[in-house]
Amino acid sequence: MTDARLAWVRAEDRKRRFLALGIVAAAYALLFLAFGIAALLQREELGSFSGPVVVRLGKPEGEDLRRSPDE
């Protein structure tokens, strides 16, 4: 092979490698994005959490007052 042809073959090989790397990186990014969106859109049920559920009405900081049921 001549030097010009060898240089052209190497340049084309380098282009193919960068194109393949770009396609693989884009495919992985698309896959991670799809899983991320699916995780964000997933509904979470309160039954899957352990412990009490505290609902505070009124002030944003709320007050932790315990009252007996007969009040």
Coordinates of all heavy atoms in Angstrom, one line a residue:
M1 N 0.8 -1.2 0.0 CA 0.0 0.0 0.0 C 0.9 1.2 0.0 O 1.9 1.3 0.6 CB -0.9 0.0 1.3 CG -2.1 -0.8 1.2 SD -3.2 -0.3 2.5 CE -3.5 -1.8 3.3
T2 N 0.3 2.3 -0.6 CA 1.1 3.5 -0.6 C 0.8 4.3 0.7 O -0.1 3.9 1.4 CB 0.7 4.4 -1.8 OG1 -0.7 4.7 -1.6 CG2 0.9 3.7 -3.1
D3 N 1.7 5.2 1.0 CA 1.5 6.0 2.2 C 0.2 6.8 2.3 O -0.4 6.9 3.3 CB 2.7 6.9 2.4 CG 4.0 6.2 2.7 OD1 3.9 5.1 3.3 OD2 5.1 6.7 2.4
A4 N -0.2 7.3 1.1 CA -1.5 8.1 1.1 C -2.7 7.2 1.4 O -3.6 7.6 2.1 CB -1.6 8.8 -0.2
R5 N -2.7 6.0 0.7 CA -3.8 5.1 1.0 C -3.8 4.6 2.4 O -4.9 4.5 3.0 CB -3.7 3.9 0.0 CG -4.8 2.9 0.2 CD -5.0 2.1 -1.1 NE -5.8 0.9 -1.0 CZ -6.9 0.7 -0.4 NH1 -7.3 1.5 0.4 NH2 -7.6 -0.4 -0.5
L6 N -2.6 4.3 3.0 CA -2.6 3.9 4.3 C -3.1 4.9 5.3 O -3.8 4.7 6.2 CB -1.1 3.5 4.7 CG -0.9 2.8 6.0 CD1 -1.7 1.5 6.2 CD2 0.6 2.6 6.2
A7 N -2.7 6.2 5.0 CA -3.2 7.3 5.9 C -4.7 7.4 5.8 O -5.4 7.7 6.7 CB -2.5 8.6 5.5
W8 N -5.2 7.3 4.5 CA -6.7 7.4 4.3 C -7.4 6.2 5.0 O -8.4 6.4 5.7 CB -7.0 7.3 2.8 CG -8.5 7.4 2.5 CD1 -9.3 8.5 2.5 CD2 -9.3 6.3 2.2 NE1 -10.5 8.1 2.2 CE2 -10.6 6.7 2.0 CE3 -9.1 4.9 2.1 CZ2 -11.7 5.9 1.7 CZ3 -10.1 4.1 1.7 CH2 -11.4 4.6 1.6
V9 N -6.9 5.0 5.0 CA -7.5 3.9 5.6 C -7.5 4.1 7.2 O -8.5 3.8 7.8 CB -6.7 2.6 5.2 CG1 -7.1 1.4 6.1 CG2 -7.0 2.2 3.8
R10 N -6.4 4.6 7.7 CA -6.3 4.8 9.1 C -7.3 5.9 9.5 O -8.0 5.8 10.6 CB -4.9 5.3 9.5 CG -4.0 4.1 9.6 CD -2.6 4.5 10.1 NE -1.7 3.4 10.1 CZ -0.4 3.4 10.1 NH1 0.2 4.6 10.1 NH2 0.3 2.4 10.1
A11 N -7.5 7.0 8.7 CA -8.4 8.0 9.0 C -9.9 7.5 9.0 O -10.7 7.8 9.9 CB -8.3 9.2 8.0
E12 N -10.2 6.7 8.0 CA -11.5 6.1 7.9 C -11.8 5.1 9.1 O -12.9 5.1 9.6 CB -11.7 5.3 6.6 CG -11.8 6.2 5.4 CD -13.0 7.2 5.4 OE1 -14.1 6.7 5.7 OE2 -12.8 8.4 5.2
D13 N -10.8 4.4 9.5 CA -10.9 3.5 10.7 C -11.2 4.3 11.9 O -12.0 3.9 12.8 CB -9.7 2.6 10.8 CG -9.9 1.6 11.8 OD1 -10.9 0.9 11.8 OD2 -8.9 1.3 12.6
R14 N -10.5 5.4 12.1 CA -10.7 6.3 13.2 C -12.1 6.9 13.2 O -12.7 6.9 14.3 CB -9.6 7.4 13.2 CG -9.6 8.2 14.5 CD -8.4 9.2 14.5 NE -8.1 9.9 13.3 CZ -7.0 9.7 12.6 NH1 -6.1 8.8 12.9 NH2 -6.8 10.4 11.4
K15 N -12.6 7.3 12.1 CA -13.9 7.8 12.0 C -15.0 6.7 12.4 O -15.9 7.0 13.1 CB -14.2 8.2 10.5 CG -13.6 9.5 10.1 CD -14.0 9.9 8.7 CE -13.2 11.0 8.1 NZ -13.5 11.3 6.7
R16 N -14.7 5.5 11.9 CA -15.7 4.4 12.2 C -15.6 4.1 13.7 O -16.7 3.9 14.3 CB -15.3 3.1 11.5 CG -15.9 3.1 10.1 CD -15.7 1.8 9.4 NE -14.9 2.0 8.2 CZ -13.6 1.7 8.0 NH1 -13.0 1.0 8.9 NH2 -13.0 2.0 6.9
R17 N -14.5 4.2 14.3 CA -14.4 3.9 15.8 C -15.1 5.0 16.6 O -15.9 4.7 17.5 CB -12.9 3.9 16.2 CG -12.2 2.6 15.9 CD -10.8 2.6 16.4 NE -10.1 1.4 15.9 CZ -8.9 1.2 16.2 NH1 -8.1 2.1 16.9 NH2 -8.3 0.1 15.7
F18 N -14.9 6.3 16.2 CA -15.6 7.4 16.9 C -17.2 7.3 16.7 O -17.9 7.5 17.6 CB -15.1 8.7 16.5 CG -13.8 9.1 17.1 CD1 -12.8 9.6 16.3 CD2 -13.6 8.9 18.4 CE1 -11.5 9.9 16.9 CE2 -12.4 9.3 19.0 CZ -11.3 9.7 18.2
L19 N -17.6 6.9 15.5 CA -19.0 6.7 15.2 C -19.6 5.6 16.1 O -20.6 5.8 16.7 CB -19.2 6.5 13.7 CG -20.7 6.3 13.3 CD1 -21.5 7.5 13.6 CD2 -20.8 5.8 11.9
A20 N -18.9 4.5 16.1 CA -19.3 3.4 17.0 C -19.4 3.7 18.4 O -20.3 3.4 19.1 CB -18.4 2.1 16.7
L21 N -18.4 4.4 18.9 CA -18.4 4.9 20.3 C -19.5 5.8 20.6 O -20.2 5.7 21.6 CB -17.0 5.6 20.6 CG -16.8 6.1 22.0 CD1 -16.8 4.9 23.0 CD2 -15.6 6.9 22.1
G22 N -19.8 6.7 19.7 CA -20.9 7.7 19.8 C -22.3 6.9 19.9 O -23.1 7.3 20.6
I23 N -22.4 6.0 19.0 CA -23.7 5.2 18.9 C -23.9 4.4 20.2 O -25.0 4.4 20.8 CB -23.7 4.3 17.7 CG1 -23.9 5.1 16.5 CG2 -24.9 3.3 17.8 CD1 -23.7 4.3 15.2
V24 N -22.8 3.8 20.7 CA -22.9 3.0 22.0 C -23.2 3.9 23.2 O -24.1 3.6 24.0 CB -21.6 2.2 22.2 CG1 -21.6 1.6 23.6 CG2 -21.6 1.1 21.2
A25 N -22.5 5.1 23.2 CA -22.8 6.0 24.3 C -24.2 6.6 24.3 O -24.9 6.7 25.3 CB -21.8 7.2 24.2
A26 N -24.7 6.8 23.1 CA -26.1 7.3 22.9 C -27.1 6.2 23.3 O -28.1 6.5 24.0 CB -26.3 7.8 21.5
A27 N -26.8 5.0 23.0 CA -27.7 3.9 23.4 C -27.8 3.7 24.9 O -28.8 3.5 25.5 CB -27.3 2.6 22.7
Y28 N -26.6 3.8 25.5 CA -26.6 3.7 27.0 C -27.3 4.9 27.6 O -28.0 4.7 28.6 CB -25.1 3.6 27.5 CG -24.6 2.2 27.5 CD1 -23.7 1.7 26.6 CD2 -25.0 1.3 28.5 CE1 -23.2 0.4 26.6 CE2 -24.5 0.0 28.6 CZ -23.6 -0.4 27.6 OH -23.2 -1.7 27.6
A29 N -27.1 6.1 27.1 CA -27.7 7.2 27.7 C -29.2 7.1 27.5 O -30.0 7.5 28.5 CB -27.2 8.5 27.0
L30 N -29.7 6.7 26.4 CA -31.1 6.5 26.2 C -31.7 5.4 27.1 O -32.8 5.6 27.7 CB -31.4 6.1 24.7 CG -32.8 6.0 24.3 CD1 -33.5 7.4 24.4 CD2 -32.9 5.5 22.8
L31 N -31.0 4.4 27.3 CA -31.4 3.3 28.3 C -31.5 3.8 29.7 O -32.5 3.6 30.4 CB -30.4 2.1 28.2 CG -30.8 0.9 29.0 CD1 -32.1 0.2 28.4 CD2 -29.7 -0.1 29.0
F32 N -30.5 4.5 30.2 CA -30.5 5.1 31.5 C -31.6 6.1 31.6 O -32.3 6.2 32.7 CB -29.2 5.7 31.9 CG -28.1 4.7 32.2 CD1 -26.9 4.7 31.6 CD2 -28.3 3.8 33.2 CE1 -25.9 3.8 31.9 CE2 -27.4 2.9 33.6 CZ -26.2 2.9 32.9
L33 N -31.8 6.9 30.6 CA -32.9 7.9 30.6 C -34.3 7.2 30.7 O -35.1 7.7 31.5 CB -32.8 8.8 29.4 CG -33.9 9.9 29.3 CD1 -33.6 11.0 30.4 CD2 -33.8 10.6 27.9
A34 N -34.5 6.2 30.0 CA -35.7 5.5 30.0 C -36.0 4.9 31.4 O -37.1 4.9 31.9 CB -35.8 4.4 28.9
F35 N -35.0 4.3 32.0 CA -35.1 3.7 33.3 C -35.4 4.8 34.4 O -36.1 4.6 35.3 CB -33.9 2.9 33.7 CG -34.0 1.5 33.2 CD1 -33.1 1.0 32.3 CD2 -34.9 0.6 33.7 CE1 -33.1 -0.3 31.8 CE2 -35.0 -0.7 33.2 CZ -34.1 -1.2 32.3
G36 N -34.7 5.9 34.2 CA -34.9 7.1 35.1 C -36.3 7.6 35.1 O -36.9 7.9 36.1
I37 N -36.8 7.8 33.9 CA -38.2 8.3 33.7 C -39.2 7.3 34.3 O -40.2 7.6 34.9 CB -38.5 8.6 32.2 CG1 -37.7 9.9 31.8 CG2 -40.0 8.8 32.0 CD1 -37.8 10.2 30.4
A38 N -39.0 6.0 34.0 CA -39.8 4.9 34.5 C -39.8 4.9 36.1 O -40.9 4.8 36.7 CB -39.4 3.6 34.0
A39 N -38.7 5.2 36.7 CA -38.6 5.2 38.1 C -39.3 6.4 38.7 O -39.9 6.4 39.8 CB -37.1 5.2 38.6
L40 N -39.3 7.6 38.0 CA -40.0 8.8 38.5 C -41.5 8.6 38.3 O -42.2 9.2 39.1 CB -39.5 10.0 37.7 CG -38.1 10.5 38.0 CD1 -37.7 11.6 37.0 CD2 -38.0 11.0 39.4
L41 N -41.9 7.9 37.3 CA -43.4 7.8 37.1 C -44.0 6.7 37.9 O -45.2 6.5 37.9 CB -43.6 7.6 35.6 CG -43.3 8.8 34.7 CD1 -43.5 8.5 33.3 CD2 -44.0 10.1 35.1
Q42 N -43.2 5.9 38.6 CA -43.7 4.8 39.4 C -44.5 5.3 40.6 O -44.0 6.2 41.3 CB -42.6 3.9 39.8 CG -43.0 2.6 40.4 CD -41.8 1.7 40.6 OE1 -40.7 2.2 40.8 NE2 -42.0 0.4 40.6
R43 N -45.7 4.7 40.9 CA -46.5 5.1 42.0 C -45.9 4.4 43.3 O -45.6 3.2 43.2 CB -47.9 4.8 41.8 CG -48.6 5.6 40.8 CD -50.0 5.2 40.6 NE -50.7 5.2 41.8 CZ -52.0 4.8 41.9 NH1 -52.6 4.4 40.8 NH2 -52.6 4.9 43.1
E44 N -45.9 5.1 44.3 CA -45.5 4.5 45.6 C -46.7 4.5 46.5 O -47.4 5.4 46.7 CB -44.4 5.4 46.3 CG -43.1 5.4 45.5 CD -42.0 6.2 46.2 OE1 -42.2 6.4 47.4 OE2 -41.0 6.6 45.6
E45 N -46.9 3.3 47.0 CA -48.1 3.1 47.9 C -47.7 3.3 49.4 O -46.5 3.0 49.7 CB -48.6 1.7 47.8 CG -49.1 1.4 46.4 CD -50.4 2.2 46.0 OE1 -51.2 2.4 46.9 OE2 -50.5 2.5 44.8
L46 N -48.6 3.8 50.2 CA -48.2 4.1 51.6 C -48.0 2.8 52.3 O -47.4 2.7 53.4 CB -49.3 4.9 52.2 CG -49.4 6.4 51.8 CD1 -50.5 7.1 52.5 CD2 -48.1 7.1 52.2
G47 N -48.6 1.7 51.8 CA -48.5 0.4 52.5 C -47.1 -0.1 52.5 O -46.7 -1.0 53.3
S48 N -46.2 0.4 51.6 CA -44.9 -0.1 51.5 C -43.9 0.6 52.5 O -42.8 0.2 52.6 CB -44.3 0.1 50.1 OG -44.3 1.5 49.8
F49 N -44.4 1.6 53.2 CA -43.6 2.3 54.2 C -44.0 1.8 55.6 O -45.1 1.5 55.9 CB -43.9 3.8 54.2 CG -43.4 4.4 52.9 CD1 -44.4 4.8 51.9 CD2 -42.1 4.6 52.6 CE1 -44.0 5.4 50.7 CE2 -41.7 5.2 51.4 CZ -42.6 5.6 50.5
S50 N -43.0 1.7 56.4 CA -43.3 1.2 57.8 C -43.3 2.5 58.7 O -42.7 3.5 58.4 CB -42.2 0.3 58.3 OG -41.0 0.9 58.3
G51 N -44.1 2.4 59.8 CA -44.1 3.5 60.7 C -45.4 4.3 60.6 O -46.2 4.1 59.7
P52 N -45.6 5.2 61.5 CA -46.9 6.0 61.5 C -46.9 7.0 60.4 O -45.8 7.5 59.9 CB -46.9 6.7 62.8 CG -45.5 6.8 63.2 CD -44.8 5.6 62.6
V53 N -48.1 7.4 59.9 CA -48.2 8.5 59.0 C -48.7 9.7 59.8 O -49.7 9.6 60.4 CB -49.2 8.1 57.9 CG1 -49.5 9.3 57.0 CG2 -48.8 6.9 57.1
V54 N -48.0 10.8 59.7 CA -48.3 12.0 60.5 C -48.9 13.0 59.5 O -48.2 13.4 58.5 CB -47.0 12.5 61.2 CG1 -47.4 13.8 62.0 CG2 -46.5 11.5 62.1
V55 N -50.1 13.5 59.9 CA -50.7 14.5 59.1 C -50.8 15.8 60.0 O -51.4 15.7 61.0 CB -52.1 14.1 58.6 CG1 -52.7 15.3 57.8 CG2 -52.0 12.9 57.7
R56 N -50.2 16.9 59.6 CA -50.2 18.1 60.4 C -51.0 19.1 59.6 O -50.8 19.5 58.5 CB -48.8 18.6 60.6 CG -48.0 17.6 61.4 CD -46.6 18.2 61.7 NE -46.0 17.3 62.7 CZ -44.7 17.0 62.7 NH1 -43.9 17.5 61.8 NH2 -44.2 16.3 63.6
L57 N -52.0 19.7 60.3 CA -52.9 20.7 59.8 C -52.6 22.0 60.5 O -52.2 22.0 61.6 CB -54.4 20.3 60.0 CG -54.8 19.0 59.4 CD1 -56.2 18.6 59.8 CD2 -54.6 19.0 57.9
G58 N -52.8 23.1 59.8 CA -52.6 24.4 60.4 C -51.2 24.9 60.0 O -50.9 25.1 58.8
K59 N -50.4 25.2 61.0 CA -49.1 25.7 60.8 C -48.2 24.8 60.0 O -48.3 23.6 60.2 CB -48.4 26.1 62.1 CG -49.2 27.1 62.9 CD -48.5 27.3 64.2 CE -49.2 28.3 65.1 NZ -48.6 28.5 66.4
P60 N -47.3 25.3 59.2 CA -46.4 24.4 58.4 C -45.6 23.5 59.3 O -45.3 22.3 59.0 CB -45.6 25.3 57.6 CG -46.4 26.6 57.5 CD -47.1 26.7 58.8
E61 N -45.1 24.1 60.4 CA -44.2 23.2 61.3 C -45.1 22.3 62.1 O -44.6 21.3 62.6 CB -43.3 24.1 62.2 CG -44.1 25.0 63.2 CD -44.5 26.3 62.6 OE1 -44.3 26.6 61.5 OE2 -45.1 27.0 63.4
G62 N -46.3 22.6 62.3 CA -47.3 21.7 63.0 C -46.9 21.5 64.5 O -45.9 22.0 65.0
E63 N -47.8 21.0 65.2 CA -47.6 20.7 66.6 C -47.9 19.2 66.9 O -48.8 18.7 66.3 CB -48.6 21.5 67.4 CG -48.3 23.0 67.3 CD -49.3 23.8 68.2 OE1 -49.8 23.3 69.2 OE2 -49.5 25.0 67.9
D64 N -47.0 18.6 67.6 CA -47.2 17.2 68.0 C -48.0 17.2 69.3 O -47.4 17.2 70.4 CB -45.9 16.5 68.1 CG -45.2 16.3 66.8 OD1 -45.9 16.2 65.8 OD2 -44.0 16.3 66.8
L65 N -49.3 17.2 69.3 CA -50.1 17.1 70.4 C -50.8 15.8 70.5 O -51.4 15.3 69.5 CB -51.2 18.2 70.4 CG -50.7 19.7 70.5 CD1 -51.9 20.6 70.4 CD2 -49.9 19.9 71.8
R66 N -50.7 15.1 71.6 CA -51.5 13.8 71.8 C -52.7 14.1 72.5 O -52.7 14.7 73.6 CB -50.6 12.8 72.5 CG -49.4 12.5 71.7 CD -48.6 11.4 72.4 NE -47.5 11.1 71.6 CZ -47.3 9.9 71.0 NH1 -48.2 8.9 71.1 NH2 -46.2 9.7 70.2
R67 N -53.8 13.7 72.0 CA -55.1 13.9 72.6 C -55.8 12.6 72.8 O -55.7 11.7 72.0 CB -56.0 14.8 71.8 CG -55.4 16.2 71.6 CD -56.4 17.1 70.9 NE -55.7 18.4 70.8 CZ -56.3 19.4 70.2 NH1 -57.4 19.2 69.6 NH2 -55.7 20.6 70.1
S68 N -56.5 12.5 73.9 CA -57.2 11.2 74.1 C -58.4 11.2 73.3 O -59.0 12.2 72.9 CB -57.5 11.1 75.6 OG -58.4 12.2 76.0
P69 N -58.9 10.0 72.9 CA -60.1 9.9 72.0 C -61.4 10.5 72.6 O -62.3 10.9 71.9 CB -60.3 8.4 71.8 CG -59.1 7.7 72.5 CD -58.4 8.7 73.2
D70 N -61.5 10.6 74.0 CA -62.7 11.2 74.6 C -62.8 12.7 74.7 O -63.7 13.2 75.2 CB -63.0 10.5 76.0 CG -61.7 10.4 76.8 OD1 -60.7 9.9 76.3 OD2 -61.7 10.9 77.9
E71 N -61.8 13.4 74.1 CA -61.8 14.9 74.1 C -62.6 15.4 73.0 O -62.5 14.9 71.9 CB -60.4 15.4 74.2 CG -59.8 15.4 75.5 CD -58.4 16.0 75.5 OE1 -58.1 16.9 74.6 OE2 -57.6 15.7 76.4

